[in-house]
């Protein structure tokens, strides 16, 4: 199969609609990361997603809908606070897990009774969802375990020959996957941290819990138990208090004939004068938006990426730290 990359135009959106309606999977841009889309009610198409990605079959998918879509066609909304969250954060990088009405195929929810739903804010993605007017499941458009793509080219590098079309909607501005929030209970619970932070959710609902996943737990959000986001090179992860260890490992790698790169936020660059650095940027939002891009740049030029952790886990740093631990830890 040849894989086309097309910019978003009326013609390419129409082609994507045709392919999706005919049971194909298509690479699509969103504001978080690029997704691999399939119509959520089409069992065969959804199975294709799992095959193409090599995704574990017990890891459910998020259904994406346009901003005027009536969610109650797909799920039960059980608590008044859910409407307030929708009002505040949708469209945007927030996924809500609710009781499914069973419209979406069982492959998409891995046989479960809940469904995760998101309304992406990316303009081109909204246009596609609008002309299709059907829910589209879209996990990140990478091979399972690899770093998530934030450009059409990243998608191509993983899925060339496996999908007919990748819509190019520019670099994803958010840079990390959506916050996944379980809203089936009295109090919302974060299953996966992202750009909509605990603090932002609390400002609407008063309270917000964070799901703790320990080894051996029956996991509420299966995706969080898997290895994830790994670049195709060696990695190491140190805290900001371990700068001396970063430098030691860097020197050792050089001696061993390797090409090491240090990946850190801009404020630490001064600690690594004369060394190869992948600069993540200054603010938490900037760092989130650059993280996967820098990992994917790094895997091409480095044998070893030595990453430095964030200074704390407040706000957006919580999602960044979650991805850093899985990709480099
Ligand atoms: P991905 O689309 O690859 O970024 O992954 C989607 C994330 O949402 C994974 O962590 C899934 O486990 C999680 N997820 C999807 N559907 C559900 C659901 N019904 N209940 C809990 N977590 C879900
Ligand atoms: Mg993913």
């Amino acid at each position: 199969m040849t894989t086309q990359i097309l910019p978003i135009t009326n013609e390419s959106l129409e082609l994507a609609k045709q392919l999706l309606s005919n049971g194909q999977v298509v690479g699509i841009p969103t504001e978080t990361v690029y997704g691999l889309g399939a119509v959520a009610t089409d069992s065969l198409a959804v199975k294709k997603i799992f095959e193409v990605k090599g995704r574990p079959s017990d890891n459910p998918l998020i259904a994406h809908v346009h901003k005027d879509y009536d969610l109650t066609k797909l799920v039960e909304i059980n608590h008044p606070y859910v409407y307030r969250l929708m009002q505040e954060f949708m469209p945007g990088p927030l996924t809500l897990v609710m009781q499914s009405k069973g419209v979406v195929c069982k492959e998409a929810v891995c046989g479960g009774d809940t469904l995760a739903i998101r309304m992406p804010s990316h303009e081109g993605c909204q246009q596609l969802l609008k002309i299709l007017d059907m829910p589209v499941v879209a996990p990140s458009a990478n091979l399972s375990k690899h770093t998530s793509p934030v450009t059409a080219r990243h998608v191509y590098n993983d899925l060339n020959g496996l999908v007919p079309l990748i819509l190019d909607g520019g670099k994803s501005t958010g840079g990390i996957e959506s916050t996944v929030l379980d809203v089936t209970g009295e109090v919302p619970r974060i299953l996966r941290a992202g750009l909509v932070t605990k603090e932002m959710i609390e400002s609407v609902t008063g309270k917000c819990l964070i799901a703790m996943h320990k080894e051996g737990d029956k996991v509420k959000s299966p995706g969080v138990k898997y290895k994830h986001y790994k670049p195709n090179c060696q990695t190491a992860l140190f805290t900001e208090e371990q700068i001396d260890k970063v430098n030691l490992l860097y020197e050792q790698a050089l001696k061993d004939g390797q090409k090491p790169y240090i990946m850190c936020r801009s404020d630490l660059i001064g600690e690594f004068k004369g060394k190869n650095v992948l600069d993540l940027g200054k603010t938490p939002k900037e760092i989130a938006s650059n993280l996967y891009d820098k990992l994917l740049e790094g895997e091409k030029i480095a044998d070893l990426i030595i990453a430095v952790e964030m200074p704390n886990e407040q706000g957006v740093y919580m999602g960044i730290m979650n991805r850093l631990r899985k990709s480099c830890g």
Side-chain angles (χ1 to χ4, degrees):
M1 183 187 294
T2 51
T3 301
Q4 288 193 82
I5 302 183
L6 295 177
I8 292 181
T9 59
N10 288 340
E11 291 72 33
S12 67
L13 287 170
E14 193 52 42
L15 175 61
K17 177 185 166 177
Q18 291 309 329
L19 288 166
L20 288 165
S21 306
N22 289 315
Q24 301 288 323
V25 296
V26 171
I28 56 177
T30 87
E31 76 281 17
T32 57
V33 303
Y34 271 67
L36 182 59
V39 170
T41 48
D42 183 339
S43 293
L44 287 177
V46 173
K47 278 187 193 156
K48 245 180 229 168
I49 286 189
F50 284 88
E51 280 163 27
V52 166
K53 283 187 56 111
R55 185 177 174 101
S57 60
D58 66 345
N59 190 10
L61 305 176
I62 296 170
H64 297 69
V65 295
H66 64 75
K67 63 182 177 3
D68 304 316
Y69 194 88
D70 177 8
L71 296 188
T72 62
K73 289 201 261 186
L74 304 178
V75 288
E76 313 269 2
I77 300 179
N78 293 328
H79 304 284
Y81 75 79
V82 180
Y83 291 99
R84 299 204 301 275
L85 286 172
M86 286 163 54
Q87 178 73 27
E88 189 69 22
F89 301 118
M90 285 183 160
L94 177 66
T95 295
L96 300 178
V97 174
M98 296 177 267
Q99 285 305 318
S100 174
K101 287 187 172 169
V103 175
V104 161
C105 68
K106 66 178 192 313
E107 286 78 8
V109 294
C110 301
D113 55 6
T114 56
L115 173 66
I117 296 196
R118 184 165 103 78
M119 276 177 195
S121 63
H122 187 285
E123 182 63 31
C125 186
Q126 272 290 326
Q127 285 174 307
L128 176 63
L129 293 169
K130 186 82 189 179
I131 59 169
L132 200 61
D133 199 28
M134 284 189 277
V136 168
V137 286
S140 52
N142 52 276
L143 296 175
S144 196
K145 300 189 180 66
H146 191 215
T147 311
S148 308
V150 292
T151 66
R153 184 53 56 178
H154 293 156
V155 179
Y156 186 86
N157 290 343
D158 264 22
L159 303 184
N160 178 24
L162 298 174
V163 300
L165 173 65
I166 301 164
L167 285 180
D168 187 349
K171 188 182 168 201
S172 300
T173 51
I176 59 173
E177 295 81 355
S178 61
T179 304
V180 178
L181 190 69
D182 174 5
V183 295
T184 57
E186 292 291 333
V187 178
R189 196 160 67 112
I190 294 178
L191 303 179
R192 175 176 75 186
L195 291 171
V196 174
T197 63
K198 178 174 191 284
E199 293 80 355
M200 288 159 72
I201 294 163
E202 280 171 341
S203 75
V204 173
T205 63
K207 271 190 194 167
C208 176
L209 305 171
I210 295 175
M212 292 294 168
H213 304 280
K214 294 196 282 341
E215 197 125 359
D217 277 359
K218 186 176 180 302
V219 182
K220 175 92 192 189
S221 191
V224 297
K225 77 184 175 196
Y226 291 108
K227 280 210 183 325
H228 252 125
Y229 322 122
K230 291 267 175 213
N232 292 323
C233 65
Q234 288 183 298
T235 56
L237 182 64
F238 292 100
T239 66
E240 290 196 2
E241 281 72 53
Q242 297 174 312
I243 299 289
D244 46 340
K245 287 193 176 158
V246 173
N247 283 320
L248 266 177
L249 179 59
Y250 186 97
E251 298 302 339
Q252 188 57 50
L254 280 183
K255 269 190 211 137
D256 295 344
Q258 284 190 312
K259 196 164 184 200
Y261 270 77
I262 296 165
M263 189 178 77
C264 63
R265 62 196 180 98
S266 304
D267 290 352
L268 296 181
I269 299 275
E271 306 277 348
F272 308 116
K273 287 210 177 78
K275 297 193 164 81
N276 299 324
V277 168
L278 294 161
D279 183 355
L280 287 173
K282 231 175 153 60
T283 65
K285 271 194 166 171
E286 232 180 287
I287 294 168
S289 111
N290 288 328
L291 181 61
Y292 293 148
D293 196 32
K294 292 293 167 186
L295 285 170
L296 290 168
E297 180 188 334
E299 72 174 18
K300 288 214 152 64
I301 52 179
D303 301 308
L304 168 67
I305 297 175
I306 310 171
V308 185
E309 290 187 0
M310 297 298 114
N312 59 59
E313 298 209 26
Q314 302 302 305
V316 173
Y317 281 150
M318 186 189 287
I320 296 171
M321 279 302 298
N322 166 279
R323 306 313 190 278
L324 265 180
R325 289 204 189 93
K326 290 187 177 176
S327 60
C328 299

